[in-house]
Amino acid sequence: GYTDGADVAEMRGNWAVGNPLTLRVGPRITPWTVEENHVVGRVYEDYNGPQITNPGGLWPNNRWLAQKPTSETWVRVTPSRYEPGRAHVAVVNFPLASTVGVDFSGALALDQKYAVWCADDPLGPPILRGQYDGRPVTFPMTNLPLAVPHGGMVYPVSSFGPTWPEFAAFIVRSL
């Protein structure tokens, strides 16, 4: 379960952005690898434990920010291990820009045709189509499609708003 702990743990290469709580860690696990993460917000020890005021002292190979940066955009393109020509894109757009440039160099070959879907509406039409020329592709960060859930709803759809322009996820597929 969530409170049973673990003998070994690894938290590597993640982004965690919260307001005000970002991360609860504990009980202490040894050995525990915590590195190459970007964390914005407060970090707490254990479920109801105290706030860790200096996480960088415990885990120095990470980036710990108390507040959201106002001028940074984080973009991650992750090629699929299972489907050649497919990648997932995550964008954290702190300045709330209406568009963001995305580099496909690790995911698509030059001159490869592609289509991009908003992960909020993966069965809808693509939001972009093109042919990769080696330059960053401009992704919209506003007015993205949201699929309407079907079936029983615990909460009405109107209680959830879009996460964009601050965050959006996309699916890229070669054609």
Side-chain angles (χ1 to χ4, degrees):
Y2 293 115
T3 59
D4 291 343
D7 294 330
V8 178
E10 180 176 309
M11 184 176 137
R12 183 188 315 261
N14 297 286
W15 300 341
V17 180
N19 185 17
L21 168 68
T22 300
L23 187 61
R24 288 197 186 274
V25 292
R28 296 288 168 87
I29 301 166
T30 304
W32 192 5
T33 302
V34 180
E35 58 189 19
E36 301 170 14
N37 299 291
H38 288 65
V39 181
V40 179
R42 296 183 191 150
V43 179
Y44 287 85
E45 185 174 341
D46 210 349
Y47 187 71
N48 290 312
Q51 180 177 351
I52 298 173
T53 56
N54 182 19
L58 295 171
W59 306 290
N61 298 325
N62 299 278
R63 185 157 180 229
W64 304 96
L65 302 169
Q67 305 269 329
K68 293 178 185 178
T70 57
S71 61
E72 293 182 28
T73 300
W74 301 347
V75 178
R76 178 173 291 164
V77 178
T78 306
S80 173
R81 295 182 199 170
Y82 310 105
E83 185 180 334
R86 178 181 174 136
H88 301 110
V89 177
V91 178
V92 181
N93 176 24
F94 292 115
L96 307 178
S98 60
T99 62
V100 170
V102 176
D103 181 4
F104 285 168
S105 62
L108 295 178
L110 281 175
D111 297 323
Q112 194 166 21
K113 292 182 180 181
Y114 64 86
V116 178
W117 287 263
C118 181
D120 286 333
D121 189 14
L123 301 178
I127 60 165
L128 294 171
R129 287 182 183 269
Q131 187 166 341
Y132 182 54
D133 63 6
R135 294 181 295 178
V137 176
T138 301
F139 277 41
M141 291 298 294
T142 58
N143 300 317
L144 295 168
L146 287 170
V148 177
H150 298 280
M153 290 290 298
V154 176
Y155 302 101
V157 175
S158 61
S159 66
F160 301 104
T163 57
W164 40 265
E166 186 173 38
F167 173 79
F170 303 90
I171 302 159
V172 179
R173 296 183 79 181
S174 61
L175 302 175

